[in-house]
Amino acid sequence: LDCSLIWAWFKDCKWKKDAEHLRKCKHRKSRDRDASWGYDHHNDRYVYGYKVHIIVDSKTGLPIMLTVTKAGYGENRKAAWFISMLLKLSVGVRKFFADMAYDSNATRLRVIRRLKAIPFIPLNPRNCKGANEQEKKARRKDLCLKFYRKNFIIDYWVDPDSEVFDEEYDVRTLSEQNFSVGKGSLNLDSLKHRGEDWAMLHSACICIVMLAVAKTAVDIGRPDLMRCIKCFQG
């Protein structure tokens, strides 16, 4: 499970060069009212737009489920919805990968009890006490381990500092590659219409293209090209 920010579509006010208009008018740009500001940690900047949340299959690297929210919508707030949809669609899950933005006891418990899957989520020490980052991480790890024991789910515990965790967690790069392909080859970050519904349709169409390319690659006997969009662009 991962997400990425995309810019909302907006256009400059056609009267912006008219001093009298600007003096009377409160707006400088005509923006998408459904969108909001969100912080892009990867590029260290704020983005006015939407957040595309996607679940990717860890074997093929292909998207299987998505939704769109305002850019300021917290990642972890959508985790419960995805878990419910996975159950509704009878998608079997053995291992659930997500970054530390999804680290919460509630999410971990849902993954374990509802999906019967092992959560591979790095620990986020954001609210833990400690003199430095190392102490905060140790504190979060200790609290998380106690939570697992208290809820009798210790069999699902994988030490986030172990080699096993690191090896398994490598597959999460597939989601990053997915967004890279979406923005680089399929214009995911080039929304041309206003509204959350259009942002959803725009994102869904791009995911459908990815799946169509994958099916075409398999049909022609080249499964190695399943995620190679450029090979099928005319």
Side-chain angles (χ1 to χ4, degrees), residues 66-109:
L66 74 99
T67 190
V68 172
T69 63
K70 295 181 178 182
Y73 198 90
E75 291 97 316
N76 208 25
R77 293 173 64 187
K78 269 297 172 184
W81 180 85
F82 276 106
I83 291 170
S84 296
M85 290 302 296
L86 287 169
L87 289 170
K88 186 176 181 179
L89 298 175
S90 301
V91 178
V93 181
R94 293 187 299 111
K95 301 171 184 178
F96 187 92
F97 301 92
D99 65 26
M100 67 170 58
Y102 298 91
D103 176 34
S104 76
N105 291 340
T107 295
R108 290 174 179 273
L109 199 59

Coordinates of all heavy atoms in Angstrom, one line a residue, residues 66-109:
L66 N -7.3 1.1 -6.1 CA -6.9 2.5 -5.9 C -8.1 3.3 -5.4 O -9.3 3.0 -5.6 CB -6.3 3.1 -7.1 CG -7.3 3.5 -8.3 CD1 -7.6 4.9 -8.2 CD2 -6.7 3.1 -9.6
T67 N -7.8 4.5 -4.8 CA -8.7 5.5 -4.5 C -8.0 6.8 -4.5 O -6.8 6.9 -4.4 CB -9.4 5.2 -3.2 OG1 -10.5 6.1 -3.0 CG2 -8.5 5.4 -2.0
V68 N -8.7 7.9 -4.5 CA -8.1 9.2 -4.5 C -8.8 10.1 -3.4 O -10.0 10.1 -3.2 CB -8.3 9.9 -5.9 CG1 -7.9 11.4 -5.9 CG2 -7.6 9.1 -7.0
T69 N -7.9 10.9 -2.7 CA -8.4 11.8 -1.7 C -7.7 13.1 -1.9 O -6.9 13.3 -2.7 CB -8.1 11.3 -0.3 OG1 -6.6 11.2 -0.1 CG2 -8.6 9.9 0.0
K70 N -8.1 14.1 -1.1 CA -7.4 15.4 -1.1 C -6.0 15.2 -0.7 O -5.6 14.2 0.1 CB -8.1 16.4 -0.1 CG -9.5 16.8 -0.5 CD -10.1 17.7 0.5 CE -11.5 18.2 0.1 NZ -12.0 19.2 1.0
A71 N -5.1 16.1 -1.1 CA -3.7 15.9 -0.8 C -3.4 15.9 0.7 O -2.4 15.3 1.2 CB -2.9 17.0 -1.5
G72 N -4.2 16.6 1.5 CA -4.0 16.7 2.9 C -4.5 15.6 3.7 O -4.4 15.5 4.9
Y73 N -5.1 14.6 3.0 CA -5.7 13.5 3.7 C -4.6 12.5 4.2 O -3.8 12.1 3.4 CB -6.7 12.7 2.8 CG -7.7 11.8 3.4 CD1 -8.9 12.3 3.8 CD2 -7.4 10.5 3.6 CE1 -9.9 11.5 4.4 CE2 -8.3 9.7 4.2 CZ -9.6 10.2 4.6 OH -10.5 9.4 5.2
G74 N -4.6 12.1 5.5 CA -3.6 11.3 6.0 C -3.6 9.9 5.4 O -4.7 9.3 5.2
E75 N -2.4 9.3 5.1 CA -2.3 8.0 4.5 C -3.0 6.9 5.3 O -3.8 6.2 4.8 CB -0.8 7.6 4.3 CG -0.1 8.4 3.3 CD 0.7 9.6 3.9 OE1 0.1 10.2 4.8 OE2 1.9 9.8 3.5
N76 N -2.7 6.9 6.6 CA -3.2 5.8 7.4 C -4.8 5.8 7.6 O -5.3 4.8 7.9 CB -2.6 5.9 8.8 CG -2.5 4.5 9.5 OD1 -2.5 3.5 8.8 ND2 -2.4 4.5 10.8
R77 N -5.4 6.9 7.3 CA -6.9 7.0 7.4 C -7.5 6.1 6.3 O -8.7 5.8 6.5 CB -7.3 8.4 7.2 CG -6.9 9.3 8.4 CD -7.2 10.8 8.1 NE -8.7 11.0 8.0 CZ -9.2 12.2 7.7 NH1 -8.4 13.2 7.4 NH2 -10.5 12.3 7.6
K78 N -6.8 5.8 5.3 CA -7.4 4.9 4.2 C -7.1 3.5 4.3 O -7.6 2.6 3.6 CB -6.9 5.4 2.8 CG -7.8 6.5 2.2 CD -9.2 5.9 1.9 CE -10.2 7.0 1.5 NZ -11.5 6.5 1.3
A79 N -6.2 3.1 5.3 CA -5.8 1.7 5.4 C -7.0 0.8 5.7 O -7.1 -0.3 5.1 CB -4.8 1.6 6.5
A80 N -7.9 1.2 6.6 CA -9.1 0.4 6.9 C -10.0 0.1 5.7 O -10.5 -1.0 5.5 CB -9.9 1.0 8.0
W81 N -10.1 1.1 4.8 CA -10.9 1.0 3.6 C -10.3 -0.1 2.7 O -11.0 -0.9 2.1 CB -11.1 2.3 2.9 CG -11.9 2.2 1.6 CD1 -13.2 2.3 1.5 CD2 -11.4 2.0 0.3 NE1 -13.6 2.2 0.2 CE2 -12.5 2.0 -0.6 CE3 -10.1 1.9 -0.2 CZ2 -12.4 1.9 -1.9 CZ3 -10.0 1.7 -1.6 CH2 -11.1 1.7 -2.5
F82 N -9.0 0.0 2.5 CA -8.4 -1.0 1.6 C -8.5 -2.4 2.2 O -8.7 -3.3 1.4 CB -6.9 -0.6 1.5 CG -6.6 0.4 0.4 CD1 -6.3 1.7 0.7 CD2 -6.7 0.1 -1.0 CE1 -6.1 2.7 -0.3 CE2 -6.5 1.0 -1.9 CZ -6.2 2.3 -1.6
I83 N -8.3 -2.5 3.5 CA -8.5 -3.9 4.1 C -9.9 -4.4 3.9 O -10.0 -5.6 3.5 CB -8.1 -3.8 5.6 CG1 -6.6 -3.5 5.8 CG2 -8.5 -5.1 6.3 CD1 -6.2 -3.2 7.2
S84 N -10.9 -3.6 4.0 CA -12.3 -4.0 3.8 C -12.5 -4.4 2.4 O -13.2 -5.4 2.1 CB -13.2 -2.9 4.2 OG -13.2 -2.6 5.6
M85 N -11.9 -3.6 1.4 CA -12.1 -3.9 0.0 C -11.4 -5.2 -0.4 O -11.9 -6.0 -1.2 CB -11.6 -2.8 -0.8 CG -12.5 -1.5 -0.8 SD -14.2 -1.8 -1.3 CE -14.0 -2.3 -3.0
L86 N -10.2 -5.5 0.2 CA -9.5 -6.7 -0.1 C -10.3 -7.9 0.3 O -10.4 -8.9 -0.4 CB -8.1 -6.7 0.7 CG -7.0 -5.8 0.1 CD1 -5.9 -5.7 1.1 CD2 -6.6 -6.3 -1.3
L87 N -11.0 -7.8 1.5 CA -11.8 -8.9 2.0 C -13.1 -9.0 1.1 O -13.5 -10.1 0.7 CB -12.3 -8.6 3.4 CG -11.2 -8.7 4.5 CD1 -11.7 -8.2 5.8 CD2 -10.8 -10.2 4.6
K88 N -13.7 -7.9 0.7 CA -14.9 -7.9 -0.1 C -14.6 -8.6 -1.5 O -15.5 -9.3 -2.0 CB -15.4 -6.5 -0.3 CG -16.7 -6.4 -1.1 CD -17.2 -4.9 -1.1 CE -18.5 -4.9 -1.8 NZ -19.1 -3.5 -1.9
L89 N -13.4 -8.3 -2.0 CA -13.1 -8.9 -3.4 C -12.4 -10.2 -3.3 O -11.9 -10.7 -4.3 CB -12.2 -7.9 -4.1 CG -12.8 -6.5 -4.4 CD1 -11.8 -5.6 -5.0 CD2 -14.0 -6.7 -5.3
S90 N -12.3 -10.7 -2.0 CA -11.6 -12.0 -1.8 C -10.2 -12.1 -2.3 O -9.8 -13.1 -2.9 CB -12.5 -13.2 -2.4 OG -13.8 -13.2 -1.9
V91 N -9.4 -11.1 -2.1 CA -8.0 -11.0 -2.5 C -7.2 -11.6 -1.4 O -7.2 -11.1 -0.2 CB -7.6 -9.6 -2.8 CG1 -6.1 -9.6 -3.1 CG2 -8.4 -9.0 -3.9
G92 N -6.5 -12.7 -1.6 CA -5.7 -13.4 -0.6 C -4.5 -12.6 -0.3 O -3.7 -12.2 -1.2
V93 N -4.2 -12.3 0.9 CA -3.0 -11.6 1.3 C -2.2 -12.3 2.4 O -2.8 -12.7 3.4 CB -3.4 -10.2 1.9 CG1 -2.1 -9.4 2.3 CG2 -4.2 -9.4 0.9
R94 N -1.0 -12.6 2.2 CA -0.1 -13.2 3.2 C 0.8 -12.2 3.8 O 1.1 -12.4 5.0 CB 0.7 -14.3 2.5 CG -0.1 -15.5 2.0 CD 0.8 -16.7 1.5 NE 1.6 -16.3 0.4 CZ 2.9 -16.1 0.5 NH1 3.5 -16.3 1.6 NH2 3.6 -15.8 -0.6
K95 N 1.3 -11.2 3.1 CA 2.2 -10.2 3.6 C 1.7 -8.8 3.2 O 1.4 -8.6 2.0 CB 3.6 -10.5 3.1 CG 4.1 -11.8 3.5 CD 5.5 -12.1 2.8 CE 5.9 -13.5 3.2 NZ 7.2 -13.9 2.5
F96 N 1.6 -7.9 4.1 CA 1.1 -6.6 3.8 C 2.2 -5.6 4.0 O 2.7 -5.4 5.1 CB -0.1 -6.3 4.8 CG -0.8 -5.0 4.5 CD1 -1.9 -5.0 3.7 CD2 -0.4 -3.8 5.1 CE1 -2.6 -3.8 3.5 CE2 -1.1 -2.6 4.9 CZ -2.2 -2.7 4.1
F97 N 2.6 -4.9 2.9 CA 3.7 -4.0 3.0 C 3.2 -2.6 2.9 O 2.4 -2.2 2.1 CB 4.7 -4.3 1.8 CG 5.3 -5.6 1.8 CD1 4.6 -6.7 1.1 CD2 6.4 -5.9 2.5 CE1 5.2 -8.0 1.1 CE2 7.0 -7.2 2.5 CZ 6.3 -8.2 1.8
A98 N 3.8 -1.7 3.7 CA 3.5 -0.3 3.7 C 4.6 0.5 4.4 O 5.4 -0.1 5.1 CB 2.2 0.0 4.4
D99 N 4.7 1.8 4.1 CA 5.8 2.5 4.7 C 5.4 3.0 6.1 O 4.3 2.7 6.6 CB 6.3 3.7 3.8 CG 5.2 4.8 3.6 OD1 4.3 4.9 4.5 OD2 5.2 5.4 2.6
M100 N 6.3 3.7 6.8 CA 6.0 4.1 8.2 C 4.9 5.0 8.4 O 4.4 5.2 9.5 CB 7.3 4.6 8.8 CG 7.8 5.9 8.3 SD 9.1 6.6 9.3 CE 10.4 5.4 9.2
A101 N 4.4 5.7 7.3 CA 3.2 6.5 7.5 C 2.0 5.7 7.9 O 1.0 6.3 8.4 CB 3.0 7.3 6.2
Y102 N 2.0 4.4 7.7 CA 0.9 3.5 8.0 C 1.1 2.8 9.3 O 0.3 1.9 9.7 CB 0.7 2.5 6.9 CG 0.3 3.1 5.5 CD1 1.3 3.5 4.6 CD2 -1.0 3.4 5.2 CE1 1.0 4.1 3.4 CE2 -1.3 4.0 4.0 CZ -0.3 4.3 3.1 OH -0.6 4.9 1.9
D103 N 2.1 3.2 10.0 CA 2.4 2.5 11.3 C 1.5 3.0 12.4 O 1.6 4.1 12.9 CB 3.9 2.8 11.7 CG 4.2 2.2 13.1 OD1 3.6 1.1 13.4 OD2 5.0 2.8 13.8
S104 N 0.6 2.1 12.8 CA -0.3 2.4 13.9 C -0.8 1.0 14.4 O -0.9 0.1 13.7 CB -1.5 3.3 13.5 OG -2.5 2.5 12.8
N105 N -1.0 1.0 15.7 CA -1.5 -0.3 16.3 C -2.8 -0.8 15.7 O -3.0 -2.0 15.5 CB -1.6 -0.2 17.8 CG -0.2 0.0 18.5 OD1 0.8 -0.3 17.9 ND2 -0.2 0.5 19.7
A106 N -3.7 0.2 15.4 CA -5.0 -0.2 14.9 C -4.9 -0.8 13.5 O -5.5 -1.8 13.2 CB -5.9 1.1 14.8
T107 N -4.0 -0.2 12.7 CA -3.8 -0.8 11.3 C -3.2 -2.2 11.4 O -3.6 -3.1 10.7 CB -2.9 0.2 10.5 OG1 -3.6 1.4 10.3 CG2 -2.6 -0.5 9.1
R108 N -2.2 -2.3 12.2 CA -1.5 -3.6 12.4 C -2.5 -4.7 12.8 O -2.5 -5.8 12.3 CB -0.4 -3.5 13.4 CG 0.8 -2.7 12.9 CD 1.8 -2.5 14.0 NE 3.0 -1.8 13.6 CZ 4.0 -2.3 12.9 NH1 4.1 -3.6 12.7 NH2 5.0 -1.5 12.5
L109 N -3.4 -4.3 13.8 CA -4.4 -5.3 14.3 C -5.4 -5.7 13.2 O -5.8 -6.8 13.1 CB -5.1 -4.7 15.5 CG -5.8 -5.6 16.4 CD1 -4.8 -6.7 17.0 CD2 -6.5 -4.9 17.6

